[in-house]
Amino acid sequence: MKKSLRSPRWWAIDPGSARALLAFVAVSWLVSLLSSLPIRLNGTWYALADKAPWTPPGWMFSSVWLVLYAAVAVAVWLVWRQRDFPRRSALTVYGALLLLNLAWPLMFFGLYPMLGTSALWLALAVLGAHAVAATLAVLHFGPISRTAGLLMLPYVSWFVFSASLNLFAAVNN
C-alpha cells in the first residue's frame, strides 16, 4: 500500500495525537501559571504605577493569555503531527517561546522592586526577543501547517501591543 503524501486533517485525531494535544495544552498552561507567579508576588507596585491610557483591565490579560497559550498549543501540535516535514527548528522555536514567556514577568514584575526602571527596560528587551521568536514561529510553522502559522499571528500581535505598554511603563515610571 502506498503512503499518502496528504497531510493529516486537523479534525482526524487518533488517541495518541489527542494525548499529545492535551500535553501541549498542559505545558502551555503550566508555563502560564508559572509566569503568573512573579505577577502575583510582586504586582502591587504595578497597581500604583503610571500605565498607558490604552492599558486594558487586569482581567483581560489573563483571559487573552489563556486563549493565546491554547492557540500556541494547537499550533505546535499541528506542526508536531506533520511527520513528513522537518520539524526540529519549529519545535526549537516553540521551546524558546516558552522560556521567553517565563522570562518576561520575572524581569518586569520580579526585578522591578530591586532594579526599578532598569527592570522595565530589560523586560522590553525580552519582549523584543519574544516578538522575534514569535515571528520566527510563524515563519517556521506556516510551511509545515498553514493553520499553525495563522494561529501564531494573534500571538505576535499581542507582543507588539504588550511592547507598547512596557515601553510606556519604562518611560513613565
Side-chain angles (χ1 to χ4, degrees):
M1 194 158 154
K2 193 185 225 185
K3 183 178 178 186
S4 171
L5 293 178
R6 294 180 60 177
S7 61
R9 302 287 182 214
W10 68 268
W11 62 84
I13 303 175
D14 62 82
S17 188
R19 284 191 294 275
L21 175 58
L22 290 175
F24 282 120
V25 171
V27 166
S28 289
W29 284 350
L30 176 62
V31 168
S32 176
L33 175 68
L34 291 174
S35 64
S36 74
L37 293 177
I39 300 166
R40 294 169 197 245
L41 296 174
N42 296 313
T44 52
W45 71 264
Y46 186 70
L48 304 172
D50 288 331
K51 292 181 250 341
W54 57 92
T55 302
W59 63 266
M60 189 177 286
F61 285 100
S62 57
S63 301
V64 167
W65 272 114
L66 283 175
V67 171
L68 289 175
Y69 275 118
V72 169
V74 171
V76 74
W77 172 74
L78 289 169
V79 167
W80 171 83
R81 66 191 294 235
Q82 295 292 336
R83 309 244 184 240
D84 295 333
F85 295 91
R87 303 163 296 160
R88 180 177 298 247
S89 61
L91 296 174
T92 301
V93 170
Y94 170 69
L97 290 175
L98 294 178
L99 291 175
L100 289 165
N101 270 316
L102 290 169
W104 182 82
L106 284 173
M107 297 292 163
F108 192 87
F109 291 98
L111 291 181
Y112 183 81
M114 292 177 280
L115 300 179
T117 303
S118 297
L120 304 180
W121 289 105
L122 286 171
L124 186 61
V126 170
L127 266 181
H130 209 153
V132 168
T135 302
L136 287 173
V138 171
L139 296 174
H140 281 82
F141 288 17
I144 298 170
S145 165
R146 179 176 292 151
T147 304
L150 291 172
L151 280 169
M152 294 303 294
L153 291 177
Y155 190 74
V156 173
S157 300
W158 185 254
F159 283 108
V160 172
F161 176 70
S162 295
S164 73
L165 298 176
N166 193 149
L167 178 61
F168 187 95
V171 168
N172 293 290
N173 289 287

